[in-house]
Amino acid sequence: MRLPHLVWQRREVVLFAAAALLLAIGGLLWLMDARTAATAVWVAATLIGLAHSTVTLVAAARRRQPSVDVIAWLALAGALVVGEAFAGAVIAVMLASGALLEARAAARARRELSLLAARAPRTARRYGPDGLVEVAVGEVVPGDRLLVGSGEIVPVDGRLLGAATFDESALSGEGLPVERRAGEDVRSGVINAGHPVDLVATVPAAASTYAGVVRLVEQAQADSAPFVRTADRVAVAFVPLTLILAGVAWAATGEAVRAVAVLVVATPCPLLLAAPIAIMSGLSRAARVGVVIKGGASLERLAAGRVLLFDKTGTLTHGRPTLADVVTAGRLDADELLRLAGSLDQASAHVLAAAIVSAARGRGLMLQAPDEVREEHGYGLRGVVDGREVRLGKASWLVPEPAPAWAQRVRHRADLDGSLAVYVAVDGELAGALLFEDPVRADAPRMVRALRAAGIKRIVLVTGDRAEIAETVGRIVGVDAVEADRDPAEKLAIVKAEQAAAPTIMVGDGINDAPALAAAGAGVALAARGATASAEAADVVLTVDRVDALADAILISRRARRIAWQAVFAGMGLALAAMVAAAAGLLPPAAGATLQEIIDVAAIGIALTALLPARAYTAAMTPADVATARRLYAQHESVRPLVEQIRAVADDLSPTHRDAEPVRELLGRLESDLLAHERAEEAELVPILAKTLGGADPTGAISRTHAEIEHYVRRLRRALDGAGTAEVTDLRRLLYGLYAILRLHNAQEEEAAFSLVPEPVAKAPRR
């Protein structure tokens, strides 16, 4: 019983293997001059194709769907009638290969929920009379007290018994960790990013948030209408035309051979072979730019999209916290504060620890192994680094009341920017703060512009994040509308509403996006950092960590679809002309079969042009230019702390604090480090960018800001050389102006230049 079941499950593979093998055997026999045996083998291949085509047609008729297999069935039968066994065997192989591709697409649909199911917790740790007991998650009932360890997924919705930190990006789209207080509700599917925490289950697992997301995916997939292939749409018109023409030729002359001749030249190879070749060529070209499109139907849906919906976290932003600034209280400089924090956080599993350690190492700081490390649950971390006591954590733990002026500014800035502040105390005194944000991808604004150029008419940002943060990101990248504070069900409703007006493309990377991805015309998932449920539910997967590849994928898909139509219309147009000639008695079956092969070759030749290089929106640099850009990017990163120091020095200046010495020290570094870097970029990066992007003046804005930066530094030098203590206001104005220009300039360079460089340079730019 096992073997027949396995054969049935792999019937498309068996069909293709049998048809191809018989075609090859027949060819060998023909070359060995065993013509009769060769014909018999080819007839067998044709009969296999005819049987499969008959089964497919019956199934399509039951579903009341059009099918190009009608033409294939007629062509196979006609080939047998007129004795064109070789042509019939070739058609059988083409039919089998199409069936194999269709089977692979269907298998993908059945796998879409596999990762969601695999990620779902199977067990939970429940407190009982005998202590902690591991039980199946289905046995959890409301009122049970559960323990969720560090890094574990919350198994059911519940209420916290203590403060905790969660990574909620999978459900809410929020890229930064979220602090939850005792008594707050927490949803299943989020990850405990802090210390172990207890919670009380409020609903059973089947009614929890995570189970609801899985049901939404199932519902969205069930509601999705089947996509009608290009070949099937052509077949709707071509099949009746073929039958009518053959019938008229037979009825008008009484010669059945004319009807057979019409059917022979109507062999639909442009539909069965040329169109799939163009589509597969598009899939191949998309894969070269890091985009996996899951089959021809997915490519056509991507090409048809006119409305594009984006999730924010991990899509338009990086989806992980990044150090934005180091603010010091004056006792330590920024590098030393970051070095101490990074050294201590080497011993922490907190979600922000990796960002702190990475930032410290990125600045070339030498980290030391910490001693006496202890976690203060719900507050932070403490330990000893180089003999100094260091504490990292929340303001409520470290910041005294009333808070110092600089700490108040940090709080205000964090609220204004939507960032997260981690405070640092050294030897019992508050020493500074680290600010984190989820930065916009440097290539996102250019990608949005490219999408509009590629034919996208409307772009919508749909996110579970807060409205003020979502609107900021929306303004930066240039979307048409922002839908914030949306849960998975609301995202699904928005996609359905947009889909009712125009074909949609949905882009996301989290579990919260999976229902919307499944419901959209084409779902696009970013999976560069590993497989996710969104990648399983999507039609298109970006395997590179750069969203501008999506514009290239849309351009490639539209070009492949256009070439497929060209191949279809050219091939079927020539076939139609041959059919008319055959109906008029000008083309006998044998000659018609030969002519049809020529038409097929011509159509395939058109289809193969989809493999040729074409215009792309993602510009490519030469290897030498990439090396230069990477060297300049390293310098670009090295001066970033200096840029942030400009703001810190300006903040410290006031009518009551007029010491200009910090300004003089800063100016020395600006002249020696910053200006040298900007001049190197003007001399080396600007020519590379002009050559790569082309156009009238692609580097004008960058060159202009280079000049403006130098102008501000020179003005600052003149102000200091002739300034007294009464000119603090002018110094602050110049410093803030220079800071603003540098921030804008860095964003310009990261978007226009460094985001074009292959990884790792363009991997994680910050705004």
Side-chain angles (χ1 to χ4, degrees), residues 53 74 77 85 176 197 216 288 311 330 332 339 370 504 607 641 664:
S53 181
L74 293 173
L176 298 173
V197 64
L216 284 172
R288 294 179 188 178
D311 177 47
L332 302 172
R339 187 187 73 83
T504 59
R664 293 185 184 277

Side-chain angles (χ1 to χ4, degrees), residues 89-130:
V90 172
I91 296 171
V93 172
M94 295 305 103
L95 187 67
S97 64
L100 184 59
L101 292 175
E102 291 288 338
R104 292 184 61 185
R108 189 273 305 173
R110 291 190 296 269
R111 291 195 304 267
E112 285 177 346
L113 292 177
S114 61
L115 191 58
L116 281 174
R119 186 184 184 276
R122 298 289 190 273
T123 61
R125 286 185 284 173
R126 181 173 64 188
Y127 288 98
D130 299 325

Side-chain angles (χ1 to χ4, degrees), residues 125-180:
R125 286 185 284 173
R126 181 173 64 188
Y127 288 98
D130 299 325
L132 278 174
V133 179
E134 190 170 283
V135 298
V137 71
E139 297 179 17
V140 176
V141 297
D144 283 348
R145 181 178 174 181
L146 308 176
L147 173 67
V148 182
S150 298
E152 293 182 357
I153 299 173
V154 175
V156 298
D157 293 1
R159 185 164 294 112
L160 292 172
L161 297 178
T165 302
F166 294 99
D167 175 2
E168 299 188 355
S169 59
L171 293 180
S172 71
E174 170 60 64
L176 298 173
V178 177
E179 304 285 347
R180 297 290 181 189

Side-chain angles (χ1 to χ4, degrees), residues 582-657:
L586 303 176
L587 194 64
T594 303
L595 178 60
Q596 183 60 50
E597 293 301 322
I598 296 173
I599 293 173
D600 293 344
V601 171
I604 292 170
I606 294 173
L608 288 174
T609 61
L611 285 172
L612 299 177
R615 178 171 61 97
Y617 286 112
T618 304
M621 294 183 179
T622 66
D625 290 343
V626 167
T628 301
R630 284 179 172 166
R631 173 171 52 80
L632 292 172
Y633 181 79
Q635 296 175 10
H636 177 88
E637 286 292 282
S638 69
V639 300
R640 190 185 296 276
L642 181 58
V643 173
E644 297 303 327
Q645 188 182 347
I646 297 172
R647 176 174 177 166
V649 170
D651 287 344
D652 287 340
L653 288 173
S654 68
T656 59
H657 185 262

